[in-house]
Amino acid sequence: MSAYTKPAPYTKPQTYDGGETALPIVAPNNLGSTGLRWLDADDHFARTEFDWQQAQASNVPIAAPWERLDAFSRSLSQAWQQANQFGFDAGLPWSKPGAFAAALSAPWLQANPFDRAAAMPWAQFRQRLATQTGLPWITPDAHGFAAALPWATLAAYSASKSLLWKRLGELGAYVALPWGTGSNYQNGYTNPYVNPPDDGSALVFPDLPVYIMIPTITAVVIDGGADLKPLSVTINGDVDSFCWSFEMQIPAETFAMVNPGTADPVPIRVTVNGYSWAFQVESYTDNRKFGARGFTVRGRGLSAAFADAPARTLLQGDDYNAAQLAQHEIDPTGWTVIWDAVDWLVPGGTFSYNDLTPIAAIQQLASAVGGVVISDPDALNIRVEPRYPNKPWEWSSTVPYAIVPAAMLDAASGDWRGGANPNGIYVYPKNASSGAFVRITGSAGDVQLPMVVETILTDSGAQSARGISELAKAGKTKREQIPIPLFPAPATPGFIPLQSLLLAIDEYPHAPFTITTADFVIVAVDLTQSVEVTSAGEFAIDDYVSITAPNQNLFGQITAIAGTTITVKTTAIFGGAAGDTIAADAFFTKANAWKGQVMGTQITGARSGSAISVRQVLTIERQFR
Amino acid sequence: MFNPWKDFLDQLPKAPILVAQVITHRADGRTSIVEFPNGSQAVAQGQGVAESNYAFIRSGEIIGEAPAVTPTTIDV
């Protein structure tokens, strides 16, 4: 039996025995970016206790990125918190109970998916990446359709990088968001507020210090809906053109879809802030330089097909109304002529032409009664309208389509045209015996235009309409070009239809007649509210005034002046209750109010990176009679 | 935008057709004195329309006979 040999005491081979040399500790310098150093630290821990100590010490910088990430995460969620509060505090249009509730129930509301993502720490990287590169990080969930896309980018940008929303809220901003009624696309929800009942009164655009729009531009091929990825688009329309026209820059990769080539023009649909136009692409130019290639495509509205149709010759032997004659020109294409001008019976054998296209024939009928031919932007309708739906000499008493506050008129350019302001004209038919002398009511008819002789003007109603048009056209005019926002519906102002009569509450060039009030009293708070100011000055009854008070701008019309007290009927309800005193800094400025008819519209949209700008420039004709 | 083409057309001289009553044929055998509906008179080239009848006139020239018209005044 062998002697018991006591086994050697177990020693952990890793134990430091005093003779070893500890591996040199290299301070980690790239711990945040690679996991390799963590492996090194483990080894040291196993072998030496010093190593561990040192590893601990070197751990501190490792924790730093996480600290920063936490902070980043907090700041992100805080920003969203602020954005939410902004929605409640600032009185944005979508915080109105109905509309707001509707928006909240929409499944694609941006804030919800963002909140969920923000709770996941690793998602921060994706978000950070997204905010830095401008890529939307949850596009598939959040967006059912392309129009909402820019919102994600902008919202993330504003939430993470600035307190834009909060500050704008403090300024009393008016924010028009493009996702008002889009939910219909996903859950069948229909916004009941899209078409409010029209009581015939003027639209009043909100008068606020700041207007914010989140614009959208899309362009698709109507057949199939392929996205053309427009870079910029310009849309033009005016009362003297029978269709809308456009010019659009698109990238090279989408050009093939609309290349006019040898085929028929390709119909496309361009949508700017929710307002859509149907066009056909008729021509293009291309630009190529090092590293870039772009195409500019141009075209007109779909009704341009009637101008390209073969010319025809016609003798209409039967009696027809003018509206019927116009409709005959475009039957049976599915298009409709909506004849809003004076209609009259054209005797058989009177309406005849040779070598006219369908649209030229309609224009001949329309111009006989001084009408204009225009097309709907995105519907198969051709409209024949009187050039001046309201007689210019009655504009002062006509209810305008909309009232534009001075705050929106941040730029304008005018062009004085002059004119004679005639008041009488003879309008004769060519082959009938019933002529008319058309005279402005109350005038002597002594300033006359050259007479008009037109074959088909056989009816006194038609002669009268032609006379009105000729007298109105020859008025003393000034053309104003004003840019105003094109807000997505239902925010106003949206797209202003051609021929609308606008009332602009403009500023005086030299801002005369300003009263600064120490305080004034609200007399009553309802739609016919009045405001009193204890000073009078150079004001007169019916003058328009702009009222600038802390946090609120208003405008109204003076209804009474008694001593030093002016009573103003405002166009919107002033915040506050009857009897309230509004103190300090409020002042009344006499406004330069004028009316004019929209004769032309230019809508431009441009994209630069993820930023989009949209403008609507109206050409308005004022008359001085 | 205003329509520049329309603006351009408005600048061009026009030769509208007018209606006037022939008052007398002048002794020169080539011209007539005509009276427009507002009472103003002018000399027009041609004697193709009988005196006291109505004529179409374009650019100072009688181009044909027009129906007799008695205008009614319409206040607008």
Side-chain angles (χ1 to χ4, degrees), chain A residues 226-501:
Chain A
D227 187 1
L228 294 172
K229 301 177 183 168
L231 301 169
S232 71
V233 63
T234 303
I235 297 168
N236 273 307
D238 65 79
V239 297
D240 293 318
S241 300
F242 71 91
C243 63
W244 293 81
S245 61
F246 83 104
E247 185 172 299
M248 181 169 70
Q249 282 187 291
I250 57 174
E253 73 256 29
T254 63
F255 173 70
M257 291 189 282
V258 293
N259 187 350
T262 55
D264 288 339
V266 179
I268 64 169
R269 176 169 290 121
V270 178
T271 306
V272 179
N273 278 7
Y275 295 96
S276 61
W277 284 261
F279 291 116
Q280 56 184 24
V281 178
E282 296 177 328
S283 65
Y284 70 93
T285 52
D286 59 340
N287 306 295
R288 184 162 44 165
K289 61 185 178 184
F290 182 75
R293 180 162 196 178
F295 287 84
T296 303
V297 294
R298 287 182 296 272
R300 292 177 290 172
L302 298 183
S303 57
F306 295 114
D308 298 337
R312 299 180 294 193
T313 297
L314 175 80
L315 167 59
Q316 181 52 262
D318 298 323
D319 292 359
Y320 279 107
N321 277 3
Q324 291 175 303
L325 292 172
Q327 180 67 45
H328 287 172
E329 292 298 322
I330 58 170
D331 277 341
T333 56
W335 285 72
T336 306
V337 171
I338 299 174
W339 189 283
D340 284 336
V342 168
D343 197 8
W344 79 104
L345 186 72
V346 180
T350 310
F351 182 55
S352 174
Y353 59 79
N354 58 335
D355 293 335
L356 290 186
T357 59
I359 205 77
I362 295 173
Q363 281 174 322
Q364 181 175 314
L365 283 165
S367 64
V369 287
V372 293
V373 181
I374 54 181
S375 302
D376 279 1
D378 194 12
L380 303 185
N381 294 326
I382 292 174
R383 293 178 183 272
V384 177
E385 307 273 354
R387 187 180 166 91
Y388 295 88
N390 301 294
K391 303 165 198 162
W393 46 92
E394 292 178 355
W395 279 355
S396 60
S397 59
T398 305
V399 176
Y401 169 82
I403 302 175
V404 185
M408 280 188 183
L409 301 172
D410 62 338
S413 60
D415 180 18
W416 172 262
R417 309 290 294 184
N421 278 352
N423 52 22
I425 182 173
Y426 285 91
V427 182
Y428 277 23
K430 228 172 187 175
N431 301 311
S433 56
S434 62
F437 176 54
V438 181
R439 182 175 67 180
I440 293 179
T441 305
S443 75
D446 52 348
V447 184
Q448 290 176 8
L449 286 171
M451 71 186 300
V452 168
V453 181
E454 188 94 47
T455 309
I456 59 176
L457 284 177
T458 54
D459 175 84
S460 64
Q463 292 161 359
S464 164
R466 176 62 178 268
I468 292 171
S469 175
E470 294 292 331
L471 293 173
K473 263 199 294 195
K476 206 170 275 187
T477 60
K478 184 185 177 198
R479 293 173 183 179
E480 304 276 3
Q481 289 207 320
I482 60 167
I484 68 170
L486 176 70
F487 286 139
T492 58
F495 170 63
I496 310 283
L498 290 174
Q499 299 186 298
S500 303
L501 185 67

Side-chain angles (χ1 to χ4, degrees), chain A residues 236-238 240-241 391 393 417 426 428 430-433 435-441 448 451 453 460 464 468 479 481 599-602 619 621, chain B residues 1-7 10-11 16-20 36-40 54 56 58 63 65-76:
Chain A
N236 273 307
D238 65 79
D240 293 318
S241 300
K391 303 165 198 162
W393 46 92
R417 309 290 294 184
Y426 285 91
Y428 277 23
K430 228 172 187 175
N431 301 311
S433 56
F437 176 54
V438 181
R439 182 175 67 180
I440 293 179
T441 305
Q448 290 176 8
M451 71 186 300
V453 181
S460 64
S464 164
I468 292 171
R479 293 173 183 179
Q481 289 207 320
M599 304 302 267
T601 304
Q602 182 177 60
T619 305
E621 180 175 310
Chain B
M1 292 286 287
F2 258 88
N3 191 327
W5 171 244
K6 187 83 176 174
D7 272 2
D10 287 346
Q11 307 300 320
I17 291 180
L18 307 173
V19 173
F36 291 97
N38 62 5
S40 55
Y54 286 79
F56 289 122
R58 187 203 289 270
I63 59 171
E65 183 149 352
V69 174
T70 307
T72 52
T73 298
I74 302 175
D75 282 330
V76 294

